[in-house]
Each structure stands twice: as C-alpha cells, then as structure tokens.
Amino acid sequence: MRQAYNRDGELGYDQFSVFEQLLTLFERETPSLASPLASPLACQVVLELKLHPSEDPQSWDEFLARHPGSSRVKIVRTQDELALAFKRVDVVLGLISMALVEAALAGKPVYSCQFGRKQRLAEEITRYMTVCESTDELWRCFQAPTAAGAGPRSGLAAVLNQSHERLEAVCISMATQAPGGLPYGH
C-alpha cells in the first residue's frame, strides 16, 4: 500500500501503520470495550502475516525487528497459499486486496482496516466486507455476536469485474479442498 498508493501519506494509512495499530490494540487493556465475561489480559492473539507478492520482505523484516510481538501477541509469517492460511485463521484482516474477497468467498469474517483513512479506495471491493476506520471500531466489531463480511454470492459479484482467472482459480481451489464443496452450498 505504501509503495503503490500512499507515498506522500495521502491515504492516511499503510500496511505498516495499520499493523502497528493492530499490535497496540491487541496488547492494550480495553476493559470498556471487552466483554464483561472476558479478561483482556487472558487473551493470546496470533497474527499470521502474509505479505503481498509485490512487497519487499526486507521492509517487513526491519519493521518486525522493531515490533517483535509480546507475551499477548505472537507474530507468525507465512508463505503458504492463501487457501491454506484461511483454514488456520478465525478472522482475516487486511487493507484493500483481492485476497480479502477470496477470504470472504472462503467464508471467513473479513475486515478492511483503514485506520486514519483520508480517502476511499476500491469501494467496488470493500463494500463486500466490514471497513473499519479505527482500532476502536474494529474492536467493537470483534465484540459483536454476528460475523462480519458478506456471503459468497456478494463476494462473487465483487470479483466478476476484477479478475476472471483469479476468481476461477479460487472457486476451483475451494471446491476441491473444502469437505462439502463451496461454503454455504453455493
């Protein structure tokens, strides 16, 4: 995001600022937002980081050297295919990406983290997921009893005009790897 769309800070966020805010969110105590039955101190969060194929891994190595995680937050880098990563996670967080649409198609709750957003991008993609403009908004979503994101049909509509080849590959992958075929029987 920083290299392609936010060189001068015009968006108000990038992958590094969002990740840093996520670390802060998951490390801090948030008793006013937490469920009365759950202690924020008892939470252990694993953030599985999958880089965009065009990203420079060295920039993330440098970032993670400054932000190694903590006893409450563990950071794991993965190079697995998206479908395998989606199977391991409960929620998918990102900025704006076709990978988020793929996560929605895989039946995962998906959040587009645009913390401090100054302008909107790719609304044709983000309208099929929950967009959060602050960490507090994201935390409130996590506390809500309903899952975020749209079902596969609306996710399918989001990608039809984006990449037919990628859509086809995702659907084939989901159909062959999922025990019952596509999520929700679609």
Side-chain angles (χ1 to χ4, degrees):
M1 185 65 77
R2 180 181 290 173
Q3 295 86 342
Y5 299 101
N6 198 37
R7 291 184 184 156
D8 298 318
E10 57 271 18
L11 288 180
Y13 65 95
D14 62 33
Q15 66 270 36
F16 300 107
S17 68
V18 166
F19 198 84
E20 189 168 29
Q21 290 179 65
L22 287 171
L23 288 172
T24 301
L25 170 68
F26 295 131
E27 289 174 348
R28 77 178 182 203
E29 290 186 50
T30 53
S32 63
L33 295 175
S35 162
L37 301 176
S39 167
L41 293 175
C43 181
Q44 173 66 34
V45 175
V46 176
L47 292 175
E48 188 164 325
L49 177 62
K50 171 120 174 96
L51 302 187
H52 187 279
S54 68
E55 281 194 274
D56 174 21
Q58 184 177 355
S59 61
W60 276 101
D61 292 340
E62 293 167 3
F63 177 87
L64 294 174
R66 294 187 311 273
H67 303 86
S70 69
S71 61
R72 296 186 64 203
V73 179
K74 180 180 178 183
I75 302 168
V76 176
R77 292 220 0 219
T78 184
Q79 304 225 356
D80 287 346
E81 293 294 322
L82 285 174
L84 293 174
F86 293 154
K87 288 181 179 182
R88 289 190 302 269
V89 301
D90 298 317
V91 173
V92 176
L93 306 173
L95 303 179
I96 300 170
S97 169
M98 287 301 291
L100 296 179
V101 176
E102 290 179 41
L105 284 167
K108 294 295 179 176
V110 178
Y111 298 90
S112 174
C113 300
Q114 301 178 30
F115 308 150
R117 175 173 81 178
K118 293 180 183 175
Q119 62 178 292
R120 297 170 190 249
L121 283 180
E123 290 187 21
E124 67 279 3
I125 293 173
T126 59
R127 66 180 166 179
Y128 298 102
M129 59 202 64
T130 301
V131 175
C132 296
E133 295 184 44
S134 71
T135 56
D136 288 338
E137 187 177 355
L138 177 65
W139 189 253
R140 282 190 298 275
C141 289
F142 284 171
Q143 303 308 307
T146 60
R153 285 185 182 166
S154 57
L156 192 61
V159 296
L160 283 177
N161 293 323
Q162 299 297 317
S163 168
H164 294 285
E165 295 82 14
R166 192 164 181 185
L167 171 63
E168 182 178 310
V170 169
C171 290
I172 290 170
S173 173
M174 288 171 52
T176 58
Q177 293 179 12
L182 291 172
Y184 308 108
H186 297 93

